Amino acid sequence: MRTGWWWGSGGVLFLLAMLAAMVAAPALRALIRRWAAALGDRKMDIRRLTDSYAVSPQITPEDVAALKEAGFVRVICNRPDGEVPPALQAAAIRRAVEAAGMEFVENPVTPGQFTPDLVARQAQAMQGAGPVFAYCASGNRSSVAWALTQAGRRPADDLIAAAARFGYNLEPYRDRLG
């Protein structure tokens, strides 16, 4: 049996972990580059649910100019940071939004977790600003959050139809919307 500081103190495991990291790092960097390139190649996709509220899939800091040009005054992030790389996390988007003279609100939504507090924060973020833009992974969570703020004030059929124009299915929330 071998003895020595590196065998007895986890040195072999450390060495194996280092080798694995060295092998995996280039593949991970390539994956991140492909993801960033794919996001960079796409066009801004603003989906207006109403005259004063629109949604879209994940945005980049480069998309902010198009939002400003479209007349939005507030941007709501409904996406948790854990879903995206640092370049697309809320802090990066916030810097771009605020540099463009707009307001930024974080209200991250874990899929399916539309609590009363979350809906109240979304409603507050939508009030008094003028045109508001919200984003998440696909725009669906931002659509559901919006519809839940309108529950009881607008017919459920209208809310569901507004989102359905863009492929969002709010039907599972009908009971909460009516």
Side-chain angles (χ1 to χ4, degrees):
M1 173 176 273
R2 297 192 183 227
T3 59
W5 70 269
W6 63 282
W7 283 100
S9 62
V12 171
L13 291 176
F14 175 76
L15 181 62
L16 290 174
M18 288 294 292
L19 289 172
M22 290 170 56
V23 169
L28 183 58
R29 280 194 295 274
L31 178 64
I32 291 171
R33 279 194 299 273
R34 281 194 305 273
W35 189 6
L39 284 172
D41 290 344
R42 67 168 180 69
K43 288 186 172 195
M44 185 73 212
D45 186 9
I46 299 171
R47 301 166 183 181
R48 292 187 182 269
L49 300 181
T50 70
D51 289 340
S52 61
Y53 187 83
V55 303
S56 88
Q58 176 68 49
I59 64 171
T60 68
E62 293 77 23
D63 292 329
V64 171
L67 296 174
K68 177 77 172 176
E69 187 176 313
F72 294 103
V73 297
R74 185 173 294 155
V75 174
I76 303 171
C77 172
N78 289 133
R79 191 162 196 194
D81 278 346
E83 294 182 0
V84 292
L88 298 178
Q89 290 180 356
I93 305 298
R94 174 187 295 278
R95 283 190 296 275
V97 166
E98 290 177 349
M102 297 181 289
E103 297 175 21
F104 185 84
V105 176
E106 275 183 76
N107 192 22
V109 180
T110 302
Q113 302 298 311
F114 295 98
T115 65
D117 288 342
L118 182 133
V119 174
R121 285 192 307 271
Q122 191 81 5
Q124 184 178 13
M126 292 167 50
Q127 288 179 354
V132 174
F133 173 85
Y135 70 92
C136 57
S138 68
N140 191 64
R141 283 178 268 181
S142 296
S143 296
V144 174
W146 161 78
L148 290 172
T149 69
Q150 304 301 303
R153 297 171 37 205
R154 295 181 59 184
D157 287 339
D158 291 354
L159 298 170
I160 291 168
R165 290 190 340 248
F166 301 102
Y168 302 129
N169 180 12
L170 274 54
E171 196 63 47
Y173 300 92
R174 180 177 287 281
D175 290 346
R176 290 182 64 183
L177 297 175

